[in-house]
């Protein structure tokens, strides 16, 4: 049975939904491990300043709790009960800080149709700005809140993991292991898996070089000499 890890960002407690997600997922052949991060809830004051979401605190608390974990899916509630910060802005800030960059993301809302209709009614300049933000946020889908657990399971059943996510997960899982001095690029030599993960996390060109080297070395190792 495949094991998939997801995280849900919501201002309300999602324990009941998570229990259902795990139960139904297991029935359909997906072993799901799911965390929740209750951004916007007044009960979690570590995320707030003067009753409002403080993104610097959110980012700090996320890194403190989940920095060594790779999630296969991140689910963001659009409405976080904050006038200035919603799920889309949270995704943007996370990406800017190198968080969940390789993890697929979906957005849920009980008022999705109303939200999209409100965007359409904006002035052209504001409408283009909002739509550009939605497109550039690298979101896999926007879904209704009702029975969103089924959409998560469907996603896991129908989507393959990216190479970036696979590499990230392995590097973090075996964080204390250390690479030998066999890389063409000397910056990779002798570093632990965790150091490599942090090194390539926010640098696309270096990450691509690392992937290329790994693939070339694996092919060379598996190729039979003639």
């Amino acid at each position: 049975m495949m094991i998939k890890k997801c995280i849900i960002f919501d201002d309300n407690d999602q324990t009941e939904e998570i229990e259902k997600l795990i139960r139904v997922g297991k029935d359909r052949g997906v072993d799901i491990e799911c965390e929740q991060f209750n951004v916007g809830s007044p009960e979690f004051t570590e995320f707030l300043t003067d009753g409002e979401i403080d993104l610097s605190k959110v980012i700090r608390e996320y890194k403190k709790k989940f920095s060594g974990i790779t999630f296969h899916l991140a689910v963001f509630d659009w409405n976080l009960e904050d006038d200035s910060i919603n799920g889309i802005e949270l995704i943007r800030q996370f990406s800017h800080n190198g968080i969940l960059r390789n993890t697929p993301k979906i957005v849920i809302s009980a008022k999705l149709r109303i939200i999209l209709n409100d965007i359409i009614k904006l002035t052209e300049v504001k409408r283009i700005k909002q739509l550009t933000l939605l497109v550039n946020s690298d979101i896999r889908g926007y879904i209704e809140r009702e029975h969103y657990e089924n959409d998560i399971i469907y996603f896991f059943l129908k989507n393959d993991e990216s190479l970036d996510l696979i590499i990230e997960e392995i590097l973090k899982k075996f964080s204390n292991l250390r690479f030998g001095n066999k890389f063409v690029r000397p910056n990779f030599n002798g570093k632990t898996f965790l150091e490599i993960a942090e090194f390539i996390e926010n640098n696309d060109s270096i990450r691509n070089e690392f992937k290329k080297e790994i693939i070339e070395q694996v092919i060379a190792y598996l190729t039979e000499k003639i």
Side-chain angles (χ1 to χ4, degrees):
M1 184 179 292
M2 66 178 77
I3 299 177
K4 298 292 184 179
K5 296 180 181 178
C6 71
I7 183 167
I8 299 173
F9 296 86
D10 201 295
D11 55 311
N12 295 312
D13 181 37
Q14 298 296 298
T15 299
E16 185 175 332
E17 288 79 6
I18 289 174
E19 290 175 351
K20 179 182 177 182
L21 172 66
I22 293 172
R23 183 177 64 254
V24 177
K26 188 165 294 185
D27 290 340
R28 299 188 62 183
V30 187
D31 191 1
I32 299 174
E33 298 175 4
C34 192
E35 300 282 354
Q36 61 177 314
F37 201 63
N38 298 116
V39 179
S41 171
E43 298 180 14
F44 294 87
T45 56
E46 65 268 29
F47 303 138
L48 308 175
T49 296
D50 298 328
E52 303 292 332
I53 295 175
D54 187 326
L55 287 171
S56 63
K57 291 182 177 180
V58 171
I59 291 167
R60 183 186 66 210
E61 291 298 321
Y62 179 90
K63 289 182 176 180
K64 184 190 301 183
K65 190 171 183 180
F66 299 116
S67 61
I69 301 176
T70 296
F71 291 103
H72 304 106
L73 180 65
V75 181
F76 293 81
D77 183 18
W78 184 297
N79 185 1
L80 298 175
E81 296 300 331
D82 190 287
D83 293 335
S84 58
I85 298 173
N86 56 27
I88 303 298
E89 178 61 18
L90 191 58
I91 291 173
R92 192 180 74 83
Q93 291 293 332
F94 271 25
S95 179
H96 179 71
N97 285 274
I99 297 173
L100 299 171
R101 288 193 67 192
N102 300 319
T103 299
K105 306 166 189 67
I106 60 176
V107 173
I108 61 174
S109 175
K111 303 177 180 178
L112 187 58
R113 294 180 182 178
I114 296 174
I115 291 170
L116 296 177
N117 190 51
D118 288 343
I119 291 176
I120 293 173
K121 293 179 179 179
L122 294 173
T123 64
E124 183 178 359
V125 173
K126 291 183 178 179
R127 183 169 65 248
I128 291 174
K129 183 178 179 180
Q130 285 293 315
L131 292 175
T132 300
L133 178 60
L134 297 183
V135 171
N136 291 339
S137 295
D138 190 29
I139 297 168
R140 293 291 186 89
Y142 298 86
I143 59 177
E144 297 286 348
R145 171 176 285 278
E146 187 177 8
H147 306 307
Y148 73 85
E149 306 92 345
N150 293 324
D151 291 285
I152 293 177
I153 295 169
Y154 180 81
F155 177 88
F156 284 144
L157 289 171
K158 297 298 181 180
N159 291 273
D160 294 326
E161 297 170 27
S162 68
L163 179 59
D164 285 320
L165 192 63
I166 292 171
I167 290 175
E168 175 190 318
E169 184 173 21
I170 292 174
L171 290 175
K172 290 183 177 179
K173 183 178 181 179
F174 302 102
S175 59
N176 293 325
L177 295 181
R178 189 178 299 274
F179 283 103
N181 298 321
K182 296 181 179 180
F183 284 99
V184 174
R185 186 183 179 92
N187 288 336
F188 298 139
N189 289 331
K191 283 187 166 50
T192 66
F193 282 22
L194 181 58
E195 287 173 332
I196 291 289
E198 294 172 346
F199 188 45
I200 67 177
E201 196 165 37
N202 292 312
N203 192 312
D204 292 337
S205 62
I206 294 178
R207 182 169 62 253
N208 288 334
E209 287 186 36
F210 178 76
K211 287 189 294 185
K212 183 178 179 181
E213 283 220 35
I214 289 293
I215 293 171
E216 288 178 347
Q217 291 198 36
V218 169
I219 291 175
Y221 176 78
L222 296 176
T223 301
E224 185 178 347
K225 293 183 178 180
I226 300 176

